Amino acid sequence: MQNFDFQNPTRIVFGEGTIAQLSTLVPPAAQVLVLYGGGSVTRNGTLDQVRAALAEGGTRTVHEFAGIEPNPSFETLMRAVAEVRERRIDFLLAVGGGSVIDGTKFVAAAALLPPEEDAWTILQTHGRSITRALPLGTVLTLPATGSEMNSGGVITRRATHDKLGFMSPHTFPRFSVLDPTRTYTLPLRQVANGIVDAYVHIMEQYLTYPADAMVQDRLAEGLLRTLVDIGPRALSEPQNYAIRANFMWTATLALNGLIGAGVPQDWATHMIGHELTALHGIDHGRTLAVVLPALLQVRRDAKRLKLLQYAERVWDLREGSEEERIDAALARTRAFFESLEVPTHLSAYQLDASAIDPLVAQLEKHGMTRLGERRDITPAISRSILEAAL
Ligand code: NZQ
Ligand code: ZN
């Protein structure tokens, strides 16, 4: 096991009816800005529950900022930053999915920069320039990204097609409220995206090379098997509390740092996927379903030992030669994504070989030239992965 330093300060308040606890979770005299997306939380009653809870147990002033879009844009978020400064907001509450939470983390950091400083620096330094941030909490409505219990965010600059991530110890949520019933209104497409996103988060931290991390491996395998078990029912039984609760907690554990402590990590699938979203607007989870199977195929020698372990422990594949077991595990992975109606080829998104040059150029522009757990995925290998994904 590699050395590690793990701290996750986010308090999780989990279960049906827990939004009411915002009355004590949010400081009683805070100037609060509630941030949300395009209106799902208005339509499904979540925002009403939030407003009611914030009106209890204090003298808070509550303002709202609506319209944070999927793949949140720098342009929109800078309007929220202006509002935070103008109203002297001192607590941010994100109500929504990963985009709203990521966007709120960015606002929390950007609002405390000197006004003359360019907030895009946060993305250019991948968060290293952040020295402080406003406190924030979240109410999660879409299990997928793990943003509710990690310090990261991904922001898109629409004008230049740049989609970049940041992380900082200052942008962990203070708390996150996870009420599985708040996911019942999710479109099935978003549920499927979320299952794939969580699955690939686990794979990015598990499917590398052996590092004698027995507990991390078993945790990762348990989470993967849980997603395989509950995935179909998360789609077919949208109001099954137990299924949605397990989905929600699995997605959180998939990217809260626990399974990634002390192990090599890949993340090439995500970096290539982000370029697909930036250039072609494909949903984040869907980009991963396209890239991961192709990446595992192209990297099968470098990842051989873990692929064999994955085949045996996640898919119960114990018969046949090594090559046959790896082939079968890759086929099962692809079939799982397809069973959720998430296509796994670029052609399903009307993209052909002519899409590849601009994607590789974007990776180079963003410095993504040494990807993967061994930093040996060059632009030429990223090209091979994209070719394998056609
Ligand atoms: O905008 P509204 O109207 O709220 O609708 C949203 C949005 O259209 C809708 N939705 C959310 N909860 C709902 C609901 N609709 C009905 N009922 C509900 N309960 O779902 C749509 C998608 O929401 P979004 O937040 O964009 O999805 P997701 O949670 O998948 O977040 C994707 C973003 O997170 C980033 C991605 O790159 C992408 O920008 N990621 C963040 C990570 C992190 N912070 O650690 C890691 C991930 O790998 C990922 O990169
Ligand atoms: Zn992801």
Side-chain angles (χ1 to χ4, degrees):
M1 199 186 306
Q2 299 174 352
N3 292 2
F4 65 86
D5 179 339
F6 173 65
Q7 182 178 29
N8 190 314
T10 302
R11 174 176 175 185
I12 297 294
V13 180
F14 192 100
E16 182 164 12
T18 46
I19 290 178
Q21 295 185 37
L22 289 173
S23 63
T24 52
L25 289 166
V26 177
Q31 302 278 331
V32 185
L33 186 66
V34 177
L35 300 98
Y36 57 98
S40 70
V41 297
T42 318
R43 289 188 294 277
N44 68 16
T46 303
L47 195 60
D48 283 340
Q49 291 187 9
V50 168
R51 288 175 180 145
L54 291 177
E56 296 290 322
T59 55
R60 304 175 187 96
T61 311
V62 179
H63 300 279
E64 294 180 5
F65 184 89
I68 297 181
E69 56 282 82
N71 309 307
S73 78
F74 177 74
E75 291 85 349
T76 299
L77 297 170
M78 289 311 290
R79 288 196 287 110
V81 167
E83 190 153 336
V84 167
R85 288 178 173 150
E86 189 182 322
R87 298 189 186 280
R88 300 184 183 281
I89 298 292
D90 57 21
F91 195 94
L92 303 180
L93 183 65
V95 184
S99 294
V100 172
I101 299 174
D102 285 8
T104 300
K105 291 175 180 173
F106 174 80
V107 172
L112 295 189
L113 290 176
E116 67 280 4
E117 204 162 304
D118 179 7
W120 190 249
T121 310
I122 291 173
L123 283 311
Q124 284 168 329
T125 62
H126 305 292
R128 281 187 295 274
S129 65
I130 297 174
T131 56
R132 59 198 188 123
L134 286 172
L136 69 112
T138 91
V139 175
L140 181 68
T141 64
L142 200 180
T145 63
S147 188
E148 66 278 8
M149 200 179 178
N150 69 40
S151 66
V154 188
I155 308 299
T156 299
R157 197 158 188 163
R158 295 270 184 267
T160 50
H161 296 290
D162 292 321
K163 182 171 185 181
L164 295 176
F166 67 92
M167 284 169 80
S168 164
H170 302 284
T171 50
F172 276 103
R174 298 287 165 104
F175 64 79
S176 285
V177 175
L178 276 56
D179 178 344
T181 68
R182 297 295 95 209
T183 73
Y184 289 174
T185 57
L186 277 169
L188 296 185
R189 171 195 176 100
Q190 295 300 341
V191 178
N193 288 350
I195 294 165
V196 174
D197 195 18
Y199 197 93
V200 179
H201 291 159
I202 302 161
M203 294 288 271
E204 299 272 26
Q205 301 164 87
Y206 166 73
L207 222 149
T208 56
Y209 54 83
D212 294 321
M214 299 174 198
V215 176
Q216 293 91 324
D217 279 3
R218 291 290 188 189
L219 285 170
E221 289 152 0
L223 295 172
L224 290 169
R225 291 192 73 123
T226 303
L227 289 172
V228 172
D229 283 349
I230 66 180
R233 292 175 71 191
L235 292 175
S236 64
E237 301 169 37
Q239 308 219 352
N240 182 325
Y241 182 84
I243 296 287
R244 286 294 168 99
N246 281 287
F247 172 30
M248 205 168 206
W249 190 222
T250 302
T252 301
L253 290 170
L255 196 50
N256 72 349
L258 185 62
I259 65 168
V263 298
Q265 302 193 15
D266 183 338
W267 297 105
T269 296
H270 269 71
M271 295 309 125
I272 299 170
H274 286 170
E275 303 302 357
L276 277 164
T277 303
L279 287 188
H280 300 288
I282 303 172
D283 294 350
H284 173 64
R286 291 171 179 252
T287 68
L288 307 177
V290 168
V291 178
L292 181 77
L295 178 139
L296 295 179
Q297 177 62 29
V298 169
R299 304 297 287 168
R300 63 189 284 155
D301 289 333
K303 291 178 179 288
R304 167 170 303 267
L305 292 173
K306 271 319 221 357
L307 277 169
L308 289 166
Q309 182 178 326
Y310 170 66
E312 178 179 342
R313 295 196 192 169
V314 177
W315 295 107
D316 298 319
L317 296 163
R318 297 187 181 82
E319 309 289 322
S321 68
E322 290 192 353
E323 297 310 323
E324 284 167 347
R325 277 176 275 152
I326 292 174
D327 281 341
L330 296 189
R332 295 285 184 98
T333 306
R334 191 184 287 283
F336 176 56
F337 296 161
E338 296 274 354
S339 77
L340 305 170
E341 296 193 8
V342 180
T344 59
H345 292 281
L346 285 170
S347 55
Y349 301 93
Q350 288 73 53
L351 294 179
D352 59 21
S354 66
I356 294 179
D357 275 347
L359 289 164
V360 174
Q362 284 273 105
L363 286 167
E364 288 176 333
K365 172 183 167 192
H366 294 142
M368 302 295 170
T369 52
R370 292 167 62 230
L371 298 173
E373 63 272 17
R374 296 184 195 274
R375 304 287 164 255
D376 59 353
I377 300 189
T378 58
I381 298 176
S382 292
R383 175 183 298 282
S384 306
I385 292 167
L386 287 162
E387 284 166 357
L390 287 169

